[in-house]
Amino acid sequence: MFQRDISPVCYKLHLPILSSLFEGLHKPAISIGKSVNGSPLWVVEISDKPGQREAEPAFKFIGNVHGDEPVGREVLMQLAYWLCDNYLKDPLATLIVENTHLHILPTLNPDGFALRRRGNANNIDLNRDFPDQFFPINDDINYRQPETRAIMSWIKQEHFTASATLHGGALVANYPWDGSRDKRKQYYGCPDDKAFRYMASVYSQSHYNMSLSKEFRGGITNGALWYPIYGGMQDWNYIHGGCFELTLEISDVKWPKASELLVIWKQNKMSMLNLVASLVKTGVHGRIFAADTGRPIPGSLMVKGIDSKISASRTFGDYHRILAPGESYEVVASMEGFTPKRTRIMLEREAMNLDFILDPDGTNAQTKPLPNDCGCDDGIKPFLIREAYLWLYLLVLFFLLALYLLFRRRISSRLARNPPKRPVAI
Ligand SMILES: [Zn+2]
């Protein structure tokens, strides 16, 4: 397993052992799938309630997407150790553990790592293996690599707010889009360009020297401007998972000496912590409820002028919207069968809490049951049925009252015929 003191004998990993070290702060490492050669893709979740659903944002870190870029996996192991060691000692560690669910997948490409090469065991570049928005790459699930399929099904299971993949070979925080429609190398921003630039800046500004880059202004770059790629993981996350993902290049050298890993960890530590903590410290958060039942509903949240939407969770109806601070936004919550609600907010540096209570739409509410937490079919009964029940209750009540009066009359007449005997004094 990874050495705690980063000794020169590094670049070794054994996550099941990691899982026995931090009792309570994470659930045992789980495998989200297997590589081509059958290695489990281990994930450890760090939280004060690991494995449980909470109305909190979830973040994921993925390392070693490219087999020959091992720094990410080593740094992620350090992050896991540090968080568990410093919970209730360090305010940032405590904030992250108590207010987020952090999922860490140190190596997505264990086969490529073993072979010391970029691609997986089939020599496929996993960061070109996702369905692409501009070109029909890998639209057929049967042609995707098992590592890619594992990530895609994981994102469908977990409700991630944001994520980052760690790479090596440069020093920059890269944000969507990664490709452009005409394949030209140019700035090609996604609808949430401002929010992504803010996220990338949180990373670069907290880094030891990333923001001082001579190549990339502020240490951040739009993917298509740097070099366009297609079939990347980052864009797919944003489009299909509603998950704001960055691609972080954290070391100019792909295979640094093991003795340098501790330095690289220290240089990236505050960036990693601040990026995860930004999910709690900034942005707009809240829950969406149905006005008639008071129950949480998995509605959607949109911001006027930004062509993207994020969804609230099914269990708690909670949403977590990353937005660049210091701006005014018109926020709209909606859900099929309900009347949308909108409000204008001024988002400062701090996070804002904003709950929505949606009124059922008159026509749809009578015909469409409300989805519920368990997904079972016990939706809200239409109003007419509830009214019929009310009349039935009143009828039964009237019948019981009549029975009671009749019974009382019979008792009193019997008492009149047989008066109780007087006590006898001896
Ligand atoms: Zn890479």
Side-chain angles (χ1 to χ4, degrees):
M1 59 171 281
F2 190 78
Q3 305 294 304
R4 279 180 163 229
D5 56 355
I6 312 230
S7 74
V9 278
C10 230
Y11 293 129
K12 283 187 278 177
L13 184 75
H14 197 278
L15 264 176
I17 293 177
L18 172 78
S19 69
S20 66
L21 296 176
F22 318 120
E23 214 51 50
L25 286 192
H26 63 93
K27 62 181 182 179
I30 58 149
S31 169
I32 58 159
K34 285 190 172 174
S35 68
V36 172
N37 287 342
S39 288
L41 303 173
W42 293 113
V43 171
V44 66
E45 178 186 347
I46 296 177
S47 168
D48 57 342
K49 293 192 180 72
Q52 294 180 38
R53 298 269 178 217
E54 291 189 278
E56 293 179 355
F59 190 98
K60 67 176 155 63
F61 271 121
I62 300 179
N64 205 198
V65 177
H66 292 136
D68 61 348
E69 294 166 15
V71 176
R73 62 188 250 156
E74 308 297 331
V75 167
L76 286 179
M77 293 297 287
Q78 278 298 310
L79 176 69
Y81 279 125
W82 187 87
L83 282 171
C84 294
D85 283 348
N86 288 282
Y87 174 55
L88 297 179
K89 294 178 201 158
D90 179 273
L92 208 47
T94 308
L95 180 130
I96 288 171
V97 169
E98 292 188 345
N99 298 287
T100 73
H101 283 250
L102 177 59
H103 301 252
I104 296 176
L105 195 169
T107 180
L108 176 63
N109 189 0
D111 299 345
F113 174 74
L115 295 163
R116 292 175 74 97
R117 74 176 184 204
R118 184 179 178 88
N120 67 353
N122 293 330
N123 211 10
I124 299 292
D125 185 334
L126 298 176
N127 204 31
R128 307 288 187 279
D129 197 43
F130 286 78
D132 191 83
Q133 62 173 326
F134 300 125
F135 305 102
I137 302 171
N138 273 348
D139 285 348
D140 189 339
I141 191 167
N142 297 318
Y143 288 101
R144 282 175 220 137
Q145 297 303 302
E147 295 90 346
T148 313
R149 287 203 298 267
I151 293 290
M152 289 172 71
S153 58
W154 187 28
I155 290 163
K156 298 290 178 199
Q157 286 163 28
E158 295 288 339
H159 192 232
F160 291 112
T161 298
S163 59
T165 55
L166 305 186
H167 292 252
L171 196 65
V172 67
N174 174 106
Y175 55 88
W177 300 122
D178 256 343
S180 62
R181 190 177 295 279
D182 59 6
K183 289 200 170 185
R184 277 197 303 129
K185 184 180 155 181
Q186 59 188 315
Y187 195 106
Y188 216 74
C190 72
D192 276 293
D193 192 55
K194 266 189 185 173
F196 270 107
R197 273 190 283 145
Y198 168 70
M199 265 180 85
S201 296
V202 166
Y203 200 90
S204 71
Q205 299 289 338
S206 309
H207 190 274
Y208 169 72
N209 60 353
M210 189 181 279
S211 65
L212 306 175
S213 168
K214 289 195 173 77
E215 187 181 358
F216 304 101
R217 194 173 171 197
I220 66 172
T221 187
N222 171 261
L225 180 64
W226 185 17
Y227 64 96
I229 68 160
Y230 300 92
M233 193 195 296
Q234 172 183 271
D235 292 0
W236 190 87
N237 263 268
Y238 175 59
I239 297 167
H240 298 280
C243 172
F244 287 44
E245 178 159 298
L246 296 177
T247 304
L248 302 170
E249 303 280 351
I250 61 166
S251 166
D252 279 321
V253 182
K254 287 197 178 191
W255 289 89
K257 288 178 187 162
S259 58
E260 289 168 19
L261 289 172
L262 184 59
V263 177
I264 296 173
W265 152 243
K266 284 183 176 170
Q267 290 175 344
N268 284 278
K269 178 182 154 191
M270 287 314 294
S271 298
M272 298 172 97
L273 297 174
N274 283 338
L275 182 62
V276 181
S278 73
L279 295 195
V280 179
K281 289 176 152 184
T282 63
V284 187
H285 307 258
R287 297 176 69 187
I288 305 175
F289 297 95
D292 53 346
T293 62
R295 281 166 50 183
I297 48 174
S300 300
L301 200 85
M302 288 198 72
V303 179
K304 194 180 174 190
I306 300 178
D307 186 19
S308 75
K309 71 177 171 187
I310 58 153
S311 56
S313 78
R314 288 191 70 80
T315 315
F316 296 108
D318 62 306
Y319 71 86
H320 309 277
R321 182 64 164 91
I322 299 168
L323 284 167
E327 302 224 5
S328 169
Y329 297 99
E330 188 174 325
V331 186
V332 186
S334 62
M335 166 104 190
E336 201 182 340
F338 292 83
T339 309
K341 261 189 188 167
R342 64 186 64 230
T343 184
R344 181 159 280 282
I345 59 164
M346 179 63 214
L347 184 64
E348 305 290 353
R349 291 251 142 227
E350 299 76 32
M352 175 179 272
N353 204 289
L354 187 62
D355 289 348
F356 288 90
I357 301 170
L358 302 188
D359 297 315
D361 180 70
T363 46
N364 289 351
Q366 289 185 23
T367 53
K368 191 171 173 55
L370 184 73
N372 50 42
D373 295 350
C374 61
C376 44
D377 189 22
D378 71 346
I380 304 306
K381 299 285 182 284
F383 175 71
L384 285 176
I385 295 179
R386 277 186 284 155
E387 197 178 40
Y389 277 131
L390 186 68
W391 281 111
L392 195 65
Y393 290 145
L394 284 174
L395 200 67
V396 170
L397 201 67
F398 178 76
F399 181 70
L400 287 173
L401 191 69
L403 265 181
Y404 170 73
L405 289 173
L406 192 70
F407 186 67
R408 264 191 70 126
R409 235 181 108 187
R410 290 190 64 175
I411 292 280
S412 51
S413 62
R414 195 185 302 160
L415 284 176
R417 282 200 303 274
N418 307 305
K421 289 176 182 167
R422 290 174 185 278
V424 179
I426 300 176

